[in-house]
Structures are given as structure tokens and as C-alpha cells.
Amino acid sequence: MTLLEQFGSFIEGSYQTQFSPETLHCARRALLDWHGALIAGSDTDVAQRLRKGYQEELGVGSCSIAGTSQKSFSRAAAFLNGTISHIAEFDDIFRDGAYHPACPTISGAFALAESQDKSVHDLLAAIIVGYEVSTRISKVIQPSHYQFFHTTGTVGVFGAAAACAHLLRLNASQACDAMATAGTFASGLQQAFRSDSMTKPMHPGHAAEVGLNAALLAQAGMTGTPDILEGDAGFGAALCESPRWDLLFNDLGKTWNIEQMTFKNHGCCGHNFPAIDAVSHLLNAHKIDPKDIQQIRVGGYKPTVEVCHYVHPKSPFEAKFSLSYTVSARIILGRVREKAFLPSALSDPQIYAMEDKVKLAIDPECASHFPVHRSAKVEIEMADGTVYAHHQLTRHGDPDEPLTDQELVDKFHELAEPRIGLNQAQALASKVLESPDTSVRKLAELWSKIPT
């Protein structure tokens, strides 16, 4: 059997799986967090331009689009919501694979579930399976894959295809075909987020649409290339060095990677997080007056230096990929959430001055632990010569230091309330986290009907 044929058998077998309450709760956390990221991106300039570009496809169908009451067919909904949910940089992370599974996986599955009037329970099971397939692939192709490719766009096609195959109850052969067809459309270049463009969030949008489309086509009888992962001219050969396919199925069906997710505590690129958390630790542990800071030395791993390289950013996009800015914003503003990327913050002279004190370099120890651990070493030197140092071994929000349910709900409310109002935000959080079951359409009503 090829690798995808084995995953196809796994998907068919999962229809009989009774997921534990703990695993289902982790899926509910992922679904709530996706909603927060989706709603946060819904009123941005990028989202408005997207909906304008898709105007001829809106006003038909039964699927909800964030930021508008207009409906669409499922494929357009998967693309648009998959893109919108990645704009604000609040979506979840599978640390071991340098991968954001929610935007492609949940966006594709949600659109299909809404179009077919599925239940939230059906959606949660599909999310668990889609996360499992795609996170496993993401893990065995790193770290070389991440040198040039955006994992969320490339591997995301398998997450969306697997989740949609589960919702459609495809047999093993059809599920394989869905993932195989999706695999040949895997794409997303890192260069897209090394410059200030609107392309990056479209990577997971494309992946969500590709996975949904591939599953529907497999249901209709379209076949795919079953060895698209391991073939001589396949995904592994083209997009990474020496993929560890022999590790792909370790404990498959016995453990669930959705229980190992990172949920973002800051509204920026995750490679900034260890340094922000280290600075937070030092600020909380010592009486540090920002005016007396002489220099801030940050040691990180390679992507921190390569991806988060902007200094004195000129736009919210650049700011989210700027370690010097996000660290400075944490010191001056107290947190790195949405307010840190408003024009008033970008032009704040205190943040600007603090940035000049931040020095970033690769630390060999931090670099050696990537991608399994995202760490940073920070030293804050004061004007009197005192040096406060902290080695942040992980990020707050990672599986070994997870956000509590309350922290996750608080984050959701901070993002959702300004857009959909307190009542709808409370009702949505309650239905996602606590409701025994409801329809996906009922969930969508709570964020697609925007209060006037």
C-alpha cells in the first residue's frame, strides 16, 4: 500500500472511532480558536478586497462568508474563509511541523458541513482526522521543507481533503484519491511572507478550496495518483530533503495530534513568541523601567532571524513579522494583540526608540532545538549596568505550557466582541465549547449576521 492508501484506510476506519471526551474537547478548542481568527480577519482591508474580487460568486449557495451576510457555494466559502482566518495571524500552530492546520482544515470542512447541513459533532470528528493526517505529514518533512515552502499552504491541502473525505464518508480508495488529487496542487512559497503583500493568507485559503474540491471530485469518481507523497517525482522528492516516511504512522489511531496544538497568545508571527514571552517574564520578575533600558539582546533560531527581520515596520504586516517591533510593543503597550498594530502604535515614538535597542542574533542552542522547541534567550541590560537574563524554553500556548480554557475564551472575546457584539460572541463560544450538539448552520448564523 502507498502512504496515502494507508491514510485512506485510516480515514474509513475512523468512522467507527469513539473519540474520548478529552480529544473532542481539544477539537472544540481548535474550532473556537479558528472562529476567533476568522472574525478578527473579517473586517480587514484584505478581507474586503477578497470579497470584492469574488463578488460574482456571492449571493448564491448556502455557505457563510466572514464579514458579509452574502452566501456562496462551498468552494468559494472554503477559499474566502480559509484566507480571512489567516489574515490576523491568530490561528493555531502544530509546533513539530511548523504548520497552521486550522485555516485550511477547518475552513474546508466547515464549508462542506454547512452546505450539507451536518452537525457540529460530525464537524469535530472530521477536524480531528484532518488534523491527524496533515500534522503527521508536516512533521516528517521538516525542517528542510520550511526553507522554501509555507507548510500551511502545502500540507494544508491534505488536512482539508482528509477532513472533507471524513464528512462525505468516502471509502478508503476514494479518501486516498481525494488526498492524492489535493497533493498535486500543494503550493505556497515562503517569499510571499518575506515582503509586504496580501498573498500569504491566500495560501491556506487555496489549500482549503483544493482539499474540499478534491474530496467532492473523489466522491464523483475522479481518481488521483496514490503515490503522490513518496513517488520519485512526488511531494517528498520535490518539496523537502529526505522525508522520514518511516515515522509517518507511529501510533496512528492511538494518539491524536489535535491534543498537541499551540494556541497563539500574541497577534503576530509565532517565531516572535519566545522572545516576547521571555521579555514578559523579565518584566514580571523585576522592576524594570522602560526608560532605563540600555539594550535588549535576543538569541533565537534561524527562522526568527530570517522571517521576523523587519525593523521600524511601515505596515501591520511588517510589524507582525518584526521581532524588534513586537518585543518593543510588549514593553510599551503591555501586550501584543490587535492594538499593537493600529496606526497609533506603529507611529508611537516610544516603541520606535525601543526598537533601536533590540539586537537579534542566532543562538546555537536555540537553533539546535528547532522545530521541536521554539526558544529564545533574552538579556535586558539597564543603564546602570544591571543585566536581567532569561532563557525561554517554550512559548506560552505551546502544549507544554498551554493556554487555559479561560485564556482561550478571553482571547476569543477580545477578537469577536468588537465585530459581532457581546451577546453573539457569548452564544458562539458557549455552543462551540459546551453544546452537546447543534448544526453547523446554527454556528454560522452567529457570526455571519453582523449587528448593525
Side-chain angles (χ1 to χ4, degrees), residues 32 39 409 412-432 434 442-452:
L32 180 69
I39 295 167
V409 170
F412 168 78
H413 275 283
E414 182 177 330
L415 299 175
E417 279 187 36
R419 281 108 179 167
I420 65 173
L422 174 61
N423 291 339
Q424 287 181 206
Q426 288 178 331
L428 181 54
S430 176
K431 283 185 178 296
V432 170
E434 302 170 10
K442 292 292 186 182
L443 287 189
E445 287 178 0
L446 291 170
W447 51 262
S448 60
K449 293 182 178 178
I450 304 170
T452 56

Side-chain angles (χ1 to χ4, degrees), residues 146-148 189-197 200 303 306-307 309-310 317 321:
Y146 199 70
Q147 182 176 358
F148 297 110
L189 294 170
Q190 280 228 9
Q191 195 64 32
F193 55 94
R194 296 191 183 188
S195 63
D196 189 353
S197 74
K200 177 182 181 274
E306 291 184 344
V307 176
H309 59 88
Y310 292 99
F317 175 91
F321 289 87

